[in-house]
Amino acid sequence: MPLIAAAADEHDNIRELTRPVVEALVDGGFFTMLKTKSVGGMELKPSIFARVTEALAYADGSTGWVVCQSNGCSTTSAYLHPHVAQEIFGRPDGIVAWGPPGSPYEATPVEGGYRITGKWRFMSGSQNATWLGAHLRVAGTRETKTFLYPKSSATFHDIWHTLGLRGTASNEYSVDDLFIPHERAIWRDDPRDRRSDSPLYRFTSNQLYSIGFGGVALGIARATMDAFLALPREKTRRGAGKPMVENNVVQSHVAQSEARWRSARYFLHAAADEALETIEERGEMDLDQRTRLRLASTWAIQSSREIVNTLFHDCGSMAVFEENPFERRLRDIDTVAQQGQGRILHYETVGQVMLGVSPENIF
């Protein structure tokens, strides 16, 4: 934690994690939490995974984000032939990075596999990955496969100049007429290719992302709250007649932030644990639990965003300076809330399910 916290400013400046931090994460097994045990992974309980991403993001949001994203990609180890899974994920630094699905490109079937061409963004953790992935619809079908290939096969484009989470190196990459053998083209999150009986892989990778990124948001919020509580007792905002600690509005905000953070955290962990228990008993979670996971993760992210924004503004003008603990965390949490897992649209989806209406969006 001290190593990560000390490197946070540098992560922001160089727009990737520092080598000492990456080496410490690899040595500590932080990229193996959701890998299969067959390739040296932990198959960690999802609610514990959320606690780890929270702790990392408490020190630095970008570090927590990269670890979460890389672990989500590593669930692919449960869908590959054992010798391919070992080749990609068996080493301690066997890390995969990819961008989100939904690209307009198609994979063309050819003898022995596929050929793919395309360009993708938001490849978080690209600087420390050894393999990359892409999600493309198979030409002539409506189905999407995940294609894996060595990092050396791609061309990188430096586009990651952003508001927050600057250290995640979520850059753009492209491939041109790249051949992918059948053994590295899989139906991810699909029983057709699932080779593990572990309850962990009855969660989709998207659900595990949502749980982990909920933890990232909670870590950023908790760090902001603790920094706010550590401000000097005598601190007085310009134009105010008494110290902040005696301001009734500030007092109320602090209490509400604490309640919001603890309730959001409990909801996230409880939803993950309930889903896991049902999977262990019945083999899969039900629609109510899927819906609850979607709601809990979105609520954790949006509640964290509200906490950070509230306390940032309560700090007054000093909060805008880079030398204090608030400015980067505000940028990071607003960036977390902008990505897919934090979309306000998820509330509509959950409401539609609760009201018996077919959901318009995938969750």
Side-chain angles (χ1 to χ4, degrees):
M1 295 286 284
L3 172 69
I4 295 170
D9 286 340
E10 187 173 358
H11 293 166
D12 215 47
N13 291 332
I14 66 176
R15 295 177 295 114
E16 62 180 42
L17 304 188
T18 61
R19 180 49 48 187
V21 166
V22 172
E23 290 175 351
L25 292 170
V26 170
D27 291 344
F30 286 94
F31 292 111
T32 72
M33 291 187 284
L34 301 185
K35 287 184 183 180
T36 59
K37 291 181 179 178
S38 62
V39 296
M42 301 180 188
E43 297 183 12
L44 202 63
K45 183 178 178 181
S47 61
I48 299 178
F49 174 58
R51 286 170 167 85
V52 177
T53 60
E54 175 192 315
L56 294 171
Y58 184 97
D60 173 44
S62 289
T63 302
W65 184 276
V66 167
V67 169
C68 182
Q69 175 70 16
S70 299
N71 273 278
C73 297
S74 76
T75 61
T76 309
S77 59
Y79 296 85
L80 293 163
H81 188 281
H83 83 271
V84 180
Q86 186 66 36
E87 177 189 11
I88 296 174
F89 294 106
R91 294 168 40 183
D93 63 348
I95 301 168
V96 169
W98 60 43
S103 71
Y105 311 108
E106 291 187 333
T108 304
V110 296
E111 184 177 355
Y114 301 84
R115 287 203 171 273
I116 66 172
T117 296
K119 183 183 292 185
W120 299 269
R121 292 187 167 195
F122 299 107
M123 185 178 52
S124 299
S126 58
Q127 91 284 359
N128 51 272
T130 49
W131 286 74
L132 305 180
H135 319 293
L136 292 88
R137 187 173 63 253
V138 177
T141 77
R142 295 184 177 181
E143 295 190 294
T144 297
K145 275 194 164 185
T146 293
F147 301 86
L148 301 174
Y149 45 93
K151 182 177 179 178
S152 58
S153 302
T155 300
F156 285 77
H157 312 278
D158 182 7
I159 64 162
W160 196 242
H161 301 270
T162 57
L163 174 73
L165 295 179
R166 293 176 179 171
T168 62
S170 303
N171 279 303
E172 182 179 78
Y173 60 110
S174 59
V175 297
D176 184 27
D177 196 33
L178 178 65
F179 174 72
I180 308 290
H182 282 302
E183 63 184 7
R184 290 197 267 111
I186 61 169
W187 307 109
R188 189 170 55 97
D189 295 332
D190 192 311
R192 283 177 288 182
D193 275 348
R194 190 166 57 220
R195 298 171 182 269
S196 171
D197 292 328
S198 170
L200 177 63
Y201 307 111
R202 267 50 176 185
F203 288 84
T204 66
S205 54
N206 191 52
Q207 289 167 334
L208 293 170
Y209 280 133
S210 72
I211 294 167
F213 287 137
V216 170
L218 290 166
I220 296 171
R222 184 74 252 176
T224 304
M225 294 166 64
D226 288 351
F228 189 88
L229 293 172
L231 290 172
R233 301 291 93 181
E234 68 276 8
K235 175 175 170 49
T236 303
R237 290 185 298 183
R238 179 177 297 178
K242 55 186 178 181
M244 282 173 51
V245 296
E246 297 178 23
N247 184 296
N248 297 139
V249 173
V250 171
Q251 293 164 353
S252 178
H253 284 170
V254 167
Q256 290 181 60
S257 294
E258 184 73 16
R260 187 170 285 111
W261 186 84
R262 290 187 178 277
S263 59
R265 186 175 190 261
Y266 176 81
F267 185 20
L268 179 68
H269 296 170
D273 286 343
E274 288 169 8
L276 180 61
E277 290 170 7
T278 299
I279 291 170
E280 291 173 337
E281 292 175 3
R282 306 175 194 169
E284 62 181 358
M285 68 182 81
D286 58 32
L287 176 61
D288 284 345
Q289 289 169 325
R290 288 169 51 208
T291 306
R292 199 172 300 126
L293 269 179
R294 178 69 279 161
L295 180 60
S297 56
T298 304
W299 184 249
I301 292 170
Q302 290 298 330
S303 295
S304 296
R305 179 178 180 272
E306 184 170 349
I307 289 167
V308 176
N309 274 268
T310 296
L311 297 182
F312 178 88
H313 289 291
D314 280 346
C315 283
S317 59
M318 59 84 65
V320 304
F321 290 95
E322 292 181 352
E323 64 192 26
N324 70 65
F326 303 101
E327 179 265 348
R328 188 181 67 251
R329 290 181 176 125
L330 177 74
R331 293 190 286 104
D332 283 350
I333 196 64
D334 280 343
T335 304
V336 170
Q338 286 294 109
Q339 58 85 36
Q341 299 295 347
R343 292 187 301 173
I344 297 294
L345 180 65
H346 293 315
Y347 291 143
E348 296 178 26
T349 302
V350 172
Q352 288 164 350
V353 173
M354 293 177 66
L355 293 168
V357 178
S358 296
E360 297 176 13
N361 301 285
I362 298 173
F363 73 98

